[in-house]
Amino acid sequence: MKDCNCIFCKIADGEIPSATIYEDEDFRVILDLGPATRGHALLIPKDHYPDLFELEDEAAAKILVRAKRIAARMKKALGADGFNLVQNNGEAAGQTVFHFHMHLIPRYREDHAGILWEPQKTTAEELEEVKTLIQGYQEDNG
């Protein structure tokens, strides 16, 4: 499944040039043109899925395996001190291209990439309420 108007479909298919660091029949991994850190890459499925919620389970399983392998290689090759795997879903979460993709971000001491957040305060009552809402929600497919 492809979307002829999707820039990531075009990149994944090789219609638009990219700095590709990995490719197989299902995925292309490219260096990000606006990197958070040195070596920041994007893992892009060749099939079009707008976000995580549209992603087929089989593709989701493959993505994490690929991300793990590629991130391990990148970490060693670039001498990174750590690694972030980031995946945004929806505009409110920071998604700007609506084709599922995962950011592979090497982290270096003192890189100031700004990916962390300030932990908020909560109460035991609020945790219990949220837990009850999530546990009580049932979907047709489990």
Side-chain angles (χ1 to χ4, degrees):
M1 171 172 62
K2 309 284 182 204
D3 179 341
C4 63
N5 295 315
C6 173
I7 190 166
F8 277 10
C9 283
K10 292 176 182 179
I11 292 170
D13 283 344
E15 293 177 42
I16 296 176
S18 63
T20 299
I21 61 171
Y22 174 87
E23 182 177 12
D24 65 23
E25 62 190 22
D26 299 314
F27 305 101
R28 183 182 292 259
V29 180
I30 65 169
L31 294 177
D32 195 307
L33 293 176
T37 64
R38 183 173 180 261
H40 177 173
L42 303 174
L43 188 158
I44 305 171
K46 290 186 175 181
D47 285 332
H48 182 81
Y49 306 99
D51 58 29
L52 175 69
F53 309 108
E54 300 295 324
L55 191 63
E56 294 174 3
D57 289 349
E58 183 180 328
K62 287 181 179 180
I63 284 167
L64 193 55
V65 171
R66 294 305 187 289
K68 176 186 172 187
R69 290 179 184 162
I70 296 163
R73 183 184 332 157
M74 291 171 68
K75 186 176 184 287
K76 288 179 184 176
L78 298 170
D81 300 307
F83 220 92
N84 287 120
L85 299 179
V86 178
Q87 203 285 304
N88 303 317
N89 295 280
E91 190 175 337
Q95 185 178 11
T96 58
V97 177
F98 293 89
H99 178 117
F100 177 95
H101 57 285
M102 183 176 286
H103 295 261
L104 310 177
I105 306 173
R107 297 304 304 268
Y108 309 93
R109 284 178 177 54
E110 307 300 323
D111 66 21
H112 305 289
I115 296 172
L116 303 177
W117 56 87
E118 186 69 34
Q120 303 297 306
K121 295 190 184 302
T122 190
T123 64
E125 293 81 15
E126 184 176 6
L127 293 174
E128 186 62 32
E129 177 187 350
V130 170
K131 180 183 90 169
T132 300
L133 284 169
I134 294 169
Q135 289 178 337
Y137 186 78
Q138 297 288 326
E139 285 192 62
D140 293 338
N141 60 358

